[in-house]
Amino acid sequence: MNTQSNGGLGTVEGGAAPAEKPLGSRAPHFIKRSRPLHVSWQVGVFVVGLAVVVAGVIMLPLPGPGWLVIFGGMAIWATEFVWAQLVLRWTKRKVTEAAQRALDPKVRRRNIILTTIGLVIIAAALAVYVWKFGIVMPWNVSE
């Protein structure tokens, strides 16, 4: 019988999110059976995730998708560690809430107004600078 059509467990009511995956290790079963192998697996996942997170942190001041790489490292950790799974769930929830708030017409209007005011202030400051000092090229153009 189709549980989706008769209000069974598969339905989503009132826009609520579907049930999330259970927390815990997603290591293959043969790795979980052996404690030393599972600990080695966890150490490997931690080291790889740490390398990705460190690369993301390095990319924050340098060119590159720093935050995206950091969240990628967190996703690697989340395959094995409950704390990382909880952090990712919290982050996803906050990003979804922020996206919903940003789509609100009042918030969009406010953001457009603030952006316009900021651009006008920057243009005025640039105009005052050019009026005061003129446009001086850092290289010699006349020959």
Side-chain angles (χ1 to χ4, degrees):
M1 176 156 54
N2 185 358
T3 60
Q4 298 289 333
S5 61
N6 65 0
L9 295 174
T11 61
V12 177
E13 296 181 27
E20 295 176 340
K21 294 179 184 175
L23 298 174
S25 174
R26 292 185 175 89
H29 183 65
F30 72 93
I31 290 177
K32 289 183 190 177
R33 278 189 299 192
S34 169
R35 176 126 175 97
L37 191 57
H38 193 222
V39 170
S40 300
W41 176 270
Q42 286 181 325
V43 168
V45 167
F46 183 79
V47 169
V48 170
L50 183 64
V52 173
V53 168
V54 167
V57 169
I58 290 171
M59 285 184 208
L60 287 176
L62 300 176
W67 284 110
L68 186 65
V69 174
I70 290 172
F71 289 127
M74 289 296 294
I76 291 171
W77 279 338
T79 63
E80 201 55 39
F81 303 109
V82 173
W83 62 267
Q85 293 169 2
L86 294 173
V87 168
L88 278 182
R89 283 185 183 179
W90 178 84
T91 303
K92 286 178 186 177
R93 191 170 47 250
K94 291 298 180 183
V95 167
T96 304
E97 290 171 5
Q100 291 301 320
R101 278 194 311 267
L103 293 176
D104 180 23
K106 290 179 183 178
V107 174
R108 288 184 67 196
R109 192 174 319 118
R110 182 201 66 201
N111 289 345
I112 290 171
I113 290 170
L114 289 175
T115 302
T116 304
I117 290 171
L119 289 174
V120 167
I121 290 171
I122 290 171
L126 186 62
V128 167
Y129 178 84
V130 169
W131 175 68
K132 251 335 206 175
F133 301 106
I135 298 177
V136 179
M137 298 294 171
W139 55 87
N140 188 3
V141 199
S142 61
E143 289 211 10

